[in-house]
Amino acid sequence: MKTILDVLKGKLIVSCQALENEPLHSPFIMSRMALAAAQGGAAGIRANSVVDIIAIKESVSLPVIGIIKRDYPDSEVFITATMKEIDELMTVKPEIIALDATARPRPGGETLETLVAQIRARYPSVLLMADIATLAEAKTAQALGFDCIGTTLYGYTADTAGHSLPENDCEFLRAVVAAVTVPVVAEGNVETPELAARCLALGAHTVVVGGAITRPQQITARFVAAMGA
């Protein structure tokens, strides 16, 4: 019997997210984005917030990687940072939950190990994706039993600032693929179809693309920059 990760192997996941300060912020709009992605051949959706996931699941039957982005005053971790977000997400039962698995201090001083143990005890069937930024974090995530590991936060932490996934022919992705045995999800600055295909060729299990598909303000800005307008 195929698992969700088997279904996603070699396929595209589209991240349908718009934050409160963005023009497309709306569960309805995200649901239409997800429908468009499904019609284009996407195999899965990554979505932020319970309300967006509800709307998306009403529109498409694709598996969802669910997250909740929430700021905490005592931590830079904001992607599914605590058990509170896990409990909220499980009210809509995404097939996979992604959470920040970086080494940064977590809200309330909680450890990643403790959080993962709590999740496994309360929701043993949900798949967990580790959003990491360093090779050491990838290895730790595998040791903690994450089902898959995403390069999501590479370039978005203090330790990795100034870097991006495509540099040096996806050097970081290649290092993560070589270091772990669980499926690796290529995510973060995958801006072209050619780069997505390259990520698969380098050993990524699946690829998540967000802004290059679902954030028209970013797409427009790239055109404007290229034209010198």
Side-chain angles (χ1 to χ4, degrees):
M1 181 178 175
K2 277 193 170 185
T3 67
I4 293 298
L5 287 172
D6 291 331
V7 169
L8 295 174
K9 182 174 175 58
K11 303 291 180 61
L12 173 68
I13 298 167
V14 175
S15 182
C16 299
Q17 299 181 46
L19 299 178
E20 291 182 5
N21 63 339
E22 294 182 281
L24 300 189
H25 178 67
S26 157
F28 173 73
I29 293 175
M30 289 302 102
S31 74
R32 305 309 287 179
M33 281 285 191
L35 180 58
Q39 291 180 353
I45 303 294
R46 178 163 164 137
N48 170 42
S49 83
V50 167
V51 291
D52 281 12
I53 293 172
I54 289 172
I56 287 167
K57 281 184 168 287
E58 288 174 349
S59 298
V60 301
S61 58
L62 300 179
V64 171
I65 300 174
I67 65 171
I68 291 177
K69 291 180 174 177
R70 182 172 289 150
D71 292 323
Y72 282 87
D74 61 341
S75 174
E76 294 180 349
V77 171
F78 70 101
I79 298 176
T80 320
T82 75
M83 200 66 200
K84 173 180 170 63
E85 287 77 33
I86 299 290
D87 287 337
E88 291 175 19
L89 285 168
M90 287 306 295
T91 64
V92 289
K93 296 181 170 57
E95 285 74 14
I96 302 172
I97 290 179
L99 57 148
D100 183 313
T102 66
R104 297 178 293 185
R106 305 187 74 84
E110 184 178 47
T111 66
L112 181 62
E113 182 177 9
T114 298
L115 178 59
V116 171
Q118 288 177 336
I119 298 169
R120 294 301 192 196
R122 194 172 302 178
Y123 306 112
S125 63
V126 70
L127 297 176
L128 296 180
M129 174 176 166
D131 288 348
I132 58 90
T134 69
L135 194 58
E137 290 162 359
K139 294 176 180 177
T140 297
Q142 175 165 283
L144 291 178
F146 278 87
D147 299 286
C148 57
I149 295 170
T151 58
T152 317
L153 292 172
Y154 182 64
Y156 294 95
T157 65
D159 290 344
T160 63
H163 295 284
S164 68
L165 193 66
E167 67 185 10
N168 299 322
D169 190 25
C170 301
E171 180 180 24
F172 179 66
L173 173 64
R174 287 186 278 122
V176 174
V177 168
V180 300
T181 57
V182 298
V184 175
V185 181
E187 181 174 6
N189 295 294
V190 181
E191 295 186 346
T192 67
E194 294 76 16
L195 180 57
R198 181 60 177 157
C199 288
L200 291 179
L202 292 173
H205 185 85
T206 184
V207 180
V208 175
V209 177
I213 295 174
T214 58
R215 282 193 162 105
Q217 73 275 28
Q218 293 182 6
I219 300 167
T220 303
R222 288 204 302 276
F223 275 88
V224 170
M227 295 166 62

